[in-house]
Amino acid sequence: MDLEYAPAPESRSIVDIQPSYGLFVDGEFTEAGGTAFKTIDPASEEVLAEIGTATAADVDRAVAAARRAYDKVWGPMPGRERAKYLFRIARIVQERSRELAVLESIDNGKPIRESRDVDLPLVAAHFFYYAGWADKLGHAGFGSDPKPLGVAGQVIPWNFPLLMLAWKIAPALACGNTVVLKPAETTPLTALAFAEICRQAELPPGVVNIITGAGETGRALVEHPGIDKVAFTGSTEVGKQIARAVAGTPKKLTLELGGKAANIVFDDAPLDQAVEGIVNGIFFNQGHVCCAGSRLLVQESVAEELLERLKRRMATLRVGDPLDKNTDIGAINSAEQLAKIQELSQAGEAEGATRWSPACELPQRGFWFTPTVFTNVAQSHRIAREEIFGPVLSVLTFRTPDEAITKANNTPYGLSAGVWTEKGSRILWMAERLRAGIVWANTFNKFDPASPFGGYKESGFGREGGRHGLEAYLNV
């Protein structure tokens, strides 16, 4: 079918989807073989849907469907034809962006302002971007005629459910691979909505398959012998388990794991701008960001003034209903994650750090945590070493650029960093020495589909986004 000028089929509502089935295999929603689990609204604790758990047999079916589609349809299809499907998916995502943004916010807990204005535009942008690459792979720098790998098994986290799906699926399809994707068990709804978008775009059956479940389902997918490529975004602990499972097999692997980013403010930085960057760096998406600027390193001469301004700004943040467009900080994704944030925050106080939060009345139901800043933090404290994955900021000070580098790199992670200064030469000097996959200059948490993203050390390996993101899905 020529999709270039074909009008999009009539949009269907999310309520028409059958999320209780839990599986989207070979172009159809089907019933999963395992026990159903509930996905809830973290802001109200109300049950949104019951989702089936994919069993090992279900994973077999999904992988087999992906293999058939790869061998018979998608793999042999010319790149220019694959591109038309990707362009069409991108357009449908744009058309249904309001619907998808609401679904993302009620399933994840993030403010609608973020899902509407950040997540959804980036989702569409990734499909548009990689659609442009589909017929130009020979010019990407990986040989004149690079070939796809086959079937990709992809496991994504709960903090950016639909955006992480786009990061994984768009480059895989552009390169000619087919996909079996497992969303996080607490946020499966937008992945199932995306499955419906695949049908709306008339994507050939089996090219994209969605399976739902928890860790056992993910393990069955990762270890399946029919998978040629594994892509995982999530915790470092689970990433290590996946690396061990894949070791000794011909499967290609990319891992995007945890982080403990340093956000470094020098004495010549524009402080009000830096404060906005600090707030965005740690409180965006409730701090549920692997590259969050959770360690603030401030030059001693401006530390007191910066903290005063930061506290004034934090006092204006609004915590509450994710569907209120005026909300700055929504709900913590789950009771389990809230307990982890609380435990590490209590450890910070027990180890001698000074805790401060603005006055904030939290809702009675749901999972909530007040934005928090710790001062008098030592590098030995758990809150300075461990990924909290919540709206908690640890503040340390430094005197010289060399000390800032030493403290910033004193972590097992290496995903991201931020540098705030008016000196361009200092930015370049710092970026060269920071062991981080991405370094922002006078900004934070800015993403673009043309820019590669990934980490060093225990933050994983491989890159997603940009031309570099194609390499993980090509036989080069």
Side-chain angles (χ1 to χ4, degrees):
M1 174 183 179
D2 188 343
L3 301 180
E4 196 162 5
Y5 302 107
E10 183 178 351
S11 175
R12 290 179 54 186
S13 169
I14 291 291
V15 297
D16 293 331
I17 299 173
Q18 302 287 335
S20 59
Y21 288 159
L23 296 183
F24 179 72
V25 176
D26 213 10
E28 298 292 336
F29 288 99
T30 61
E31 190 170 353
T35 304
F37 62 93
K38 297 177 181 179
T39 181
I40 67 171
D41 181 342
S44 66
E45 301 181 57
E46 295 179 0
V47 175
L48 298 172
E50 290 195 3
I51 309 295
T53 298
T55 63
D58 294 325
V59 175
D60 285 341
R61 284 198 295 130
V63 174
R67 180 63 62 185
R68 286 194 300 272
Y70 173 73
D71 289 339
K72 297 181 179 179
V73 181
W74 200 250
M77 184 181 292
R80 66 180 301 272
E81 298 300 317
R82 294 198 302 268
K84 294 174 185 178
Y85 287 99
L86 291 173
F87 275 124
R88 196 174 196 198
I89 288 171
R91 293 201 305 271
I92 296 172
V93 167
Q94 288 181 320
E95 291 166 5
R96 297 178 61 169
S97 61
R98 289 179 177 270
E99 172 189 13
L100 293 168
V102 170
L103 189 62
E104 193 80 312
S105 287
I106 64 174
D107 202 23
N108 171 275
K110 67 175 62 187
I112 187 68
R113 181 166 51 86
E114 294 178 5
S115 55
R116 179 196 64 197
D117 298 343
V118 179
D119 292 28
L120 264 299
L122 278 172
V123 170
H126 272 80
F127 280 99
F128 277 126
Y129 176 78
Y130 281 108
W133 270 115
D135 63 345
K136 305 174 187 68
L137 298 176
H139 305 283
F142 307 118
S144 60
D145 189 25
K147 301 298 183 184
L149 296 170
V151 177
Q154 303 174 328
V155 181
I156 59 174
W158 46 261
N159 57 336
F160 292 94
L162 195 57
L163 181 56
M164 292 297 99
L165 176 150
W167 279 27
K168 298 287 188 293
I169 290 182
L173 298 193
C175 292
N177 304 276
T178 55
V179 166
V180 180
L181 179 136
K182 190 198 87 67
E185 63 270 25
T186 61
T187 54
L189 295 186
T190 45
L192 293 171
F194 181 79
E196 175 62 24
I197 287 173
C198 291
R199 292 211 302 189
Q200 189 177 340
E202 299 184 19
L203 191 70
V207 173
V208 169
N209 305 273
I210 309 290
I211 59 174
T212 53
E216 286 303 313
T217 302
R219 181 176 293 107
L221 176 61
V222 166
E223 297 179 355
H224 197 285
I227 295 294
D228 301 300
K229 151 75 181 176
V230 174
F232 172 77
T233 296
S235 71
T236 295
E237 180 183 354
V238 175
K240 290 178 179 179
Q241 295 173 10
I242 291 174
R244 286 192 289 268
V246 171
T249 74
K251 297 174 184 175
K252 200 167 184 177
L253 175 65
T254 50
L255 298 173
E256 195 265 282
L257 308 176
K260 194 69 178 174
N263 209 355
I264 307 165
V265 180
F266 285 91
D267 57 6
D268 66 333
L271 294 189
D272 286 335
Q273 182 182 341
V275 165
E276 292 303 312
I278 293 163
V279 168
N280 181 53
I282 185 57
F283 301 128
F284 176 71
N285 197 28
Q286 298 78 256
H288 297 335
V289 186
C290 52
C291 57
S294 55
R295 289 184 300 148
L296 175 61
L297 274 61
V298 189
Q299 199 154 19
E300 281 187 3
S301 57
V302 294
E304 185 175 346
E305 181 182 358
L306 181 72
L307 284 171
E308 288 178 2
R309 297 191 190 197
L310 176 61
K311 288 179 179 180
R312 284 200 302 269
R313 179 66 178 91
M314 288 174 61
T316 69
L317 296 175
R318 291 156 293 196
V319 180
D321 182 6
L323 294 185
D324 185 337
K325 65 181 181 181
N326 295 312
T327 293
D328 296 302
I329 299 178
I332 302 302
N333 180 252
S334 66
E336 180 183 14
Q337 185 60 30
L338 177 60
K340 177 185 175 184
I341 297 168
Q342 292 171 333
E343 190 265 330
L344 283 168
S345 297
Q346 291 164 4
E349 288 186 284
E351 290 180 329
T354 302
R355 180 174 181 172
W356 182 88
S357 297
C360 181
E361 184 177 348
L362 299 178
Q364 295 297 311
R365 290 182 59 81
F367 313 124
W368 309 92
F369 194 87
T370 306
T372 299
V373 59
F374 279 96
T375 53
N376 299 317
V377 177
Q379 292 190 87
S380 59
H381 289 171
R382 289 181 65 193
I383 55 173
R385 293 184 291 109
E386 298 182 28
E387 185 179 37
I388 299 175
F389 222 62
V392 180
L393 179 65
S394 298
V395 182
L396 301 96
T397 60
F398 67 91
R399 293 181 180 178
T400 67
D402 283 322
E403 184 183 358
I405 290 292
T406 299
K407 287 186 174 180
N409 289 339
N410 185 24
T411 172
Y413 299 107
L415 190 56
S416 62
V419 180
W420 298 83
T421 176
E422 289 191 344
K423 294 182 174 67
S425 59
R426 179 179 285 163
I427 291 171
L428 296 174
W429 187 90
M430 293 287 291
E432 185 178 9
R433 289 160 178 78
L434 286 166
R435 290 295 294 164
I438 184 168
V439 179
W440 286 289
N442 294 322
T443 188
F444 210 92
N445 275 341
K446 297 296 182 182
F447 301 96
D448 188 280
S451 178
F453 182 89
Y456 296 106
K457 300 186 287 188
E458 291 193 9
S459 290
F461 53 83
R463 293 293 180 265
E464 294 182 300
R467 179 186 64 83
H468 304 73
L470 298 167
E471 184 177 7
Y473 293 97
L474 293 172
N475 191 5
V476 295

